[in-house]
Amino acid sequence: MLSRTAGNLFWLGRYIERADFVSRLTDATLRLAALPSSYGGDVGAWSGALTAAGVNVAYAERYPLLEEATALQFLSLDPDNPSSMRWCLEKARNNARAVRTALTIETWEAINGAWLDLQRFGTRLDSRPTLNRLLEAVKAAALAFDGATHRSMLRDDGYWFMRLGAAIERADNTARLLDVKYHLLLPRDEPVGGSLDYFQWTTILRTVSALTAYRHVYRDGVKPWLVADLLILNRSMPRSLAACASDIVRYLDRLAEASGRRGAAHRLAVTAANRLAGARIESIFAAGLHEFITDFTAENNRLGSTITEQYLF
Amino acid sequence: MQASSAFDEMGIGDAAPRDAYARIKRWLDEAPPEYLQTRRAQAELFFRRIGITFAVYGDAQADERLIPFDIIPRVISRAEWTRLEKGLVQRVAALNAFLADVYGRREILRAGLLPEELVLRNPQFCLPVIGHQPPHGVYTHIAGIDIVRTGPDDFYVLEDNARTPSGVSYMLENREVMLRLLPELFDRHRVAPVDDYPETLLATLRSVAPPNCPGEPTIVVLTPGFHNSAYYEHSFLADKLGVELVEGSDLFVRGDVLFMRTTEGPKRVDVVYRRVDDAFIDPLVFNPASVLGVPGLMSAYAAGNLAIANAPGTGIADDKAIYSYMPEIVRFYTGEEPILANVPTWRCREPDSLGHVLANLKELVVKEVDGSGGYGMLVGPHASRAQIDEFAAKLKATPDKFIAQPTLALSTCPTLVDEGVAPRHVDLRPFVLTGARGSRIVPGGLTRVALQAGSLVVNSSQGGGTKDTWVLDD
């Protein structure tokens, strides 16, 4: 397949995933920030959200003060913020449009429909109901996109490049979220229950749409070390680092089957997946959660650029 | 020219309709007006929806880019089509022979049939391909020949589009829409299918792969990119052909061989169906500022490692001054009388003709020899005194640049407009595919219709629409 096409599909997958993540992050942060301050509700919640989205520096350059209204505007419809939902869908569509023939009609209509929908929101966020509709629209777009690709696309290179982009982006998002909140997840000698941090933990779970999943998996109250376990090591949790890492290996396997060749990206991905598969959450805590996450993020980034080099995007 | 004096392909009024239209006429008479208007609205919705998928452009202008579609088909009988087909094959054979000749032995010039400077000093005459024979000798693989009709047996070629004719995607999509919207009409008619066009195009492109091509030829469609107004058609065709849609930056030339950049490394390309004009395909040979082309493409072509469809240099054959010589060109290369007539044409470069044209500007259509798309022309009967005076001055200053033709009474077809069914002027663009084993034409083509009453301008930019074109087997 054309390298340009592969690159466009890879980034299409990434941008759709990022748009979905930012909408969930915004949604969860809204809930947290709206709580009474005695429960952790605070404008500071937005600082964490901006950092998790990777745009805290860009935000500070634009706005002197941390305020909910400006943070929301920045994350939702800002035409120049590379992590705003608007930007992500715009980029997703540009990538899709450039490789129109590599997509099925259903997939194209899902993306183009979402983009046309987005045009109605303009570039200024005018009210909370508008924001709610936007968040719903972005989530629906990601679901429609995933559904359309799953149901209608050939399982060939193009499909795997798209999935690969989504998996790399997803791993990056979960790792960023963990990095912002890691201090909340460290085990402490604290009486079980009644912690004010409960709402911080549920915010993390909500962002990766795993609050209900948590209860199914652990059948226990929300405990920070279990939240970390779920998001890092649980392979049945689709946004966990371990699940992303094994997905990445699987997609690279499929691509290698087609070409009959493996490369540097493959070796990096297998190493990362094996490390997660053999790890226990206690030993991660013992060696330092923050260092673990920082290493993971760096390796994931290296993997992303190695894929780009290997397939000549 | 008034609609009333034009030939109507169905027949106007209470007179019996022409045979090919008998069942269309009955259908139109029996169908309640609101039924037709509903179908018309559905067709528009349908196109708007596809239009959105076309909308590639997608921005605020997307709506304006939709070309109106008329649900009443334009019908051509098998007997009429057979004649047209013969004429088209003959004409395209002559065009290809002419191109091979002017870039080769120049026998037609030596025979004195047309003035040397008209060919050799023509801006469309492509110096870099002189002496080079394209693979299998084919120059214009895809030709769109514009045909107009003025009477039951009177077909004229209005223009030969020998470079990169577009519109074939409308021919195919129009049929798809008609099959879904009006299945009952297809029950009553034996309509020759058009959906094998992509298959035929693929076979044509494969057949012209260079002889040294190793194994199965690799074919690509080269597009200027999604900013181009015909991008939809480029991606549509690549999709239907099952080949890669590439941009210049996806291709490179090494050792006089063309490659595309793929995830598995460079892959050799043997045939390029390009939808990029000559001037932009290779910055080393043509426009050096072009970023749409591929540096070295022409050297790969010259080395015989590549087929380009249509071949560089075909523009000389659709020059309008050359057009005026087509009857002689057909006779010279085929030894036969032309089956399809030319529209009588005055070459303003000849003093006698110029005098005649200047004296009769009010009745004539004047065109630039290298113009297209209806730009830079004068339609005498519809022009003001001032416009005519202005054009007369231009003609006197640079007569070489112009030709003139009588204003033809284009035939009309029944067309559904706001007021009901009414006659509107039409033309026809069939697509002639020529490969190593001769020419093939999918029965049909693109019918364009002037939706304004009395208007002769079928261009989509000026309120023109399209119709499905039926060749009826009976």
Side-chain angles (χ1 to χ4, degrees):
Chain A
M1 113 176 293
L2 276 184
S3 295
R4 177 174 55 88
T5 307
N8 281 319
L9 291 168
F10 180 82
W11 282 101
L12 167 60
R14 282 198 82 148
Y15 277 116
I16 294 277
E17 187 64 29
R18 190 179 299 175
D20 182 59
F21 174 73
V22 174
S23 80
R24 288 174 194 280
L25 177 70
T26 306
D27 202 14
T29 308
L30 275 170
R31 289 179 70 119
L32 178 65
L35 291 174
S37 54
S38 56
Y39 289 84
D42 179 5
V43 72
W46 290 106
S47 163
L50 290 164
T51 309
V55 291
N56 48 331
V57 176
Y59 177 88
E61 280 167 7
R62 183 88 65 84
Y63 300 103
L65 286 178
L66 183 64
E67 286 173 314
E68 179 165 280
T70 47
L72 283 172
Q73 161 65 24
F74 196 61
L75 289 171
S76 59
L77 294 175
D78 191 294
D80 302 313
N81 167 13
S83 281
S84 77
M85 291 169 240
R86 181 192 173 82
W87 172 288
C88 292
L89 288 183
E90 182 106 33
K91 287 287 166 185
R93 180 174 178 277
N94 284 350
N95 278 287
R97 182 168 65 161
V99 293
R100 178 63 191 81
T101 51
L103 303 173
T104 54
I105 286 177
E106 287 86 347
T107 306
W108 165 248
E109 284 187 347
I111 298 163
N112 198 43
W115 181 82
L116 288 171
D117 215 22
L118 185 77
Q119 300 310 301
R120 294 188 292 116
F121 290 93
T123 55
R124 291 297 307 174
L125 197 57
D126 54 19
S127 72
R128 269 303 286 279
T130 307
L131 176 66
N132 287 352
R133 279 191 289 115
L134 176 66
L135 295 176
E136 287 309 314
V138 173
K139 277 185 238 171
L143 290 173
F145 171 76
D146 280 356
T149 53
H150 178 74
R151 284 188 167 267
S152 66
M153 290 212 22
L154 276 181
R155 289 340 187 228
D156 61 6
D157 302 13
Y159 182 80
W160 302 119
F161 275 115
M162 215 160 56
R163 302 288 353 137
L164 188 59
I168 296 265
E169 179 69 25
R170 180 176 277 192
D172 186 57
N173 291 334
T174 301
R176 281 170 184 284
L177 182 68
L178 283 166
D179 200 26
V180 175
K181 307 279 188 179
Y182 80 94
H183 58 277
L184 298 167
L185 298 176
L186 294 174
R188 271 167 290 179
D189 304 323
E190 201 175 296
V192 174
S195 169
L196 289 186
D197 285 342
Y198 172 82
F199 295 101
Q200 295 280 2
W201 304 330
T202 53
T203 299
I204 298 173
L205 290 171
R206 264 185 227 287
T207 304
V208 294
S209 58
L211 185 51
T212 315
Y214 178 94
R215 309 230 190 256
H216 279 270
V217 173
Y218 299 102
R219 306 200 176 279
D220 194 352
V222 179
K223 300 200 173 90
W225 56 92
L226 293 182
V227 172
D229 184 64
L230 182 69
L231 263 55
I232 296 171
L233 296 178
N234 191 307
R235 286 179 58 181
S236 52
M237 160 67 203
R239 283 185 174 79
S240 76
L241 301 186
C244 292
S246 77
D247 281 348
I248 290 167
V249 172
R250 195 152 56 89
Y251 301 150
L252 285 169
D253 278 344
R254 291 303 182 90
L255 288 168
E257 275 168 31
S259 69
R261 280 185 313 200
R262 278 155 203 268
H266 224 103
R267 287 191 291 279
L268 277 177
V270 170
T271 310
N274 286 345
R275 187 177 312 141
L276 283 161
R280 293 180 51 77
I281 197 71
E282 292 78 9
S283 48
I284 291 175
F285 279 127
L289 179 60
H290 181 61
E291 290 70 20
F292 178 85
I293 295 167
T294 311
D295 286 352
F296 179 90
T297 306
E299 269 175 38
N300 193 54
N301 287 342
R302 195 172 328 126
L303 180 55
S305 49
T306 309
I307 289 169
T308 302
E309 285 160 26
Q310 184 172 326
Y311 293 104
L312 311 161
F313 294 175
Chain B
M1 205 61 58
Q2 298 305 305
S4 55
S5 67
F7 167 71
D8 189 83
E9 298 189 6
M10 181 169 78
I12 294 176
D14 298 327
R18 295 179 61 251
D19 286 351
Y21 274 90
R23 277 163 289 181
I24 295 285
K25 168 87 166 147
R26 203 180 322 137
W27 171 68
L28 289 173
D29 288 344
E30 287 168 1
E34 59 279 8
Y35 172 83
L36 293 179
Q37 294 294 355
T38 309
R39 283 289 181 267
R40 180 189 177 202
Q42 283 171 339
E44 191 175 325
L45 264 178
F46 207 93
F47 270 95
R48 203 167 284 278
R49 202 163 66 81
I50 305 174
I52 291 169
T53 47
F54 290 9
V56 229
Y57 320 102
D59 41 26
Q61 292 118 38
D63 284 355
E64 295 160 24
R65 303 242 190 191
L66 288 187
I67 298 178
F69 173 69
D70 181 60
I71 62 166
I72 304 173
R74 194 259 185 100
V75 183
I76 297 169
S77 73
R78 179 51 83 169
E80 290 165 348
W81 176 255
T82 303
R83 193 179 135 222
L84 273 179
E85 193 176 26
K86 279 192 187 133
L88 289 165
V89 169
Q90 178 196 50
R91 191 162 178 112
V92 171
L95 284 171
N96 273 310
F98 171 72
L99 285 160
D101 190 27
V102 295
Y103 291 117
R105 300 167 54 86
R106 298 184 188 162
E107 280 169 3
I108 196 164
L109 301 184
R110 281 191 260 157
L113 253 73
L114 65 172
E116 273 197 5
E117 75 275 12
L118 186 60
V119 174
L120 303 183
R121 299 186 58 189
N122 195 305
Q124 292 296 329
F125 188 63
C126 179
L127 302 176
V129 302
I130 292 175
H132 174 74
Q133 276 285 315
H136 306 277
V138 183
Y139 280 84
T140 181
H141 310 78
I142 301 111
I145 310 293
D146 289 349
I147 304 268
V148 296
R149 184 176 197 179
T150 57
D153 294 312
D154 307 307
F155 293 94
Y156 292 92
V157 174
L158 189 63
E159 257 175 46
D160 302 291
N161 297 286
R163 286 179 257 187
T164 52
S166 62
V168 77
S169 57
Y170 287 98
M171 170 179 94
L172 297 169
E173 293 285 20
N174 287 355
R175 177 65 54 83
E176 288 304 312
V177 169
M178 286 294 281
L179 281 166
R180 290 204 209 176
L181 275 184
L182 295 163
E184 74 269 23
L185 271 188
F186 289 87
D187 288 343
R188 301 188 200 178
H189 294 91
R190 293 272 160 270
V191 183
V194 293
D195 51 6
D196 57 343
Y197 179 84
E199 187 74 22
T200 311
L201 175 59
L202 184 64
T204 301
L205 294 171
R206 292 167 72 99
S207 77
V208 295
N212 64 357
C213 157
E216 285 292 292
T218 299
I219 299 166
V220 297
V221 175
L222 175 63
T223 174
F226 60 72
H227 298 296
N228 186 276
S229 61
Y231 178 75
Y232 167 72
E233 180 158 300
H234 307 161
S235 68
F236 176 90
L237 286 172
D239 202 20
K240 299 281 175 197
L241 291 170
V243 305
E244 294 288 357
L245 178 66
V246 302
E247 297 175 19
S249 60
D250 296 318
L251 301 176
F252 68 94
V253 173
R254 192 190 295 150
D256 287 343
V257 172
L258 180 69
F259 294 94
M260 62 176 159
R261 300 174 214 273
T262 80
T263 54
E264 285 155 44
K267 178 155 196 220
R268 182 180 170 136
V269 174
D270 308 292
V271 182
V272 176
Y273 175 18
R274 51 80 178 243
R275 298 293 294 258
V276 175
D277 290 342
D278 279 4
F280 300 102
I281 56 172
D282 184 346
L284 299 183
V285 178
F286 301 106
N287 184 346
S290 170
V291 292
L292 303 175
V294 188
L297 188 79
M298 289 303 287
S299 64
Y301 179 65
N305 293 331
L306 182 66
I308 301 177
N310 291 348
T314 54
I316 185 73
D318 59 23
D319 178 276
K320 291 190 177 62
I322 300 285
Y323 160 90
S324 66
Y325 289 96
M326 274 310 286
E328 286 88 340
I329 290 173
V330 171
R331 279 185 211 106
F332 185 77
Y333 294 108
T334 68
E336 301 163 0
E337 273 307 299
I339 299 167
L340 292 173
N342 246 27
V343 179
T345 302
W346 289 276
R347 303 166 199 124
C348 301
R349 63 202 314 279
E350 296 166 7
D352 287 357
S353 298
L354 179 63
H356 174 85
V357 170
L358 286 170
N360 295 283
L361 274 178
K362 261 199 87 56
E363 280 86 55
L364 297 174
V365 176
V366 187
K367 298 174 177 173
E368 290 182 357
V369 289
D370 55 356
S372 66
Y375 295 105
M377 61 189 264
L378 174 83
V379 183
H382 295 165
S384 67
R385 188 70 245 168
Q387 283 171 316
I388 287 181
D389 289 346
E390 190 191 326
F391 230 85
K394 278 205 244 175
L395 271 173
K396 284 178 202 155
T398 52
D400 284 12
K401 285 183 67 179
F402 296 95
I403 53 117
Q405 295 170 334
T407 315
L408 291 184
L410 306 190
S411 60
T412 57
C413 284
T415 301
L416 186 63
V417 293
D418 290 342
E419 301 77 37
V421 178
R424 291 290 183 267
H425 295 288
V426 295
D427 78 350
L428 174 68
R429 174 179 292 182
F431 295 89
V432 185
L433 297 174
T434 305
R437 288 175 291 279
S439 294
R440 286 201 50 195
I441 312 172
V442 169
L446 177 67
T447 290
R448 295 186 296 177
V449 52
L451 295 172
Q452 303 292 326
S455 167
L456 293 166
V457 185
V458 295
N459 296 54
S460 57
S461 53
Q462 319 199 22
T466 68
K467 281 169 167 288
D468 191 13
T469 310
W470 289 8
V471 173
L472 278 194
D473 269 320
D474 256 334

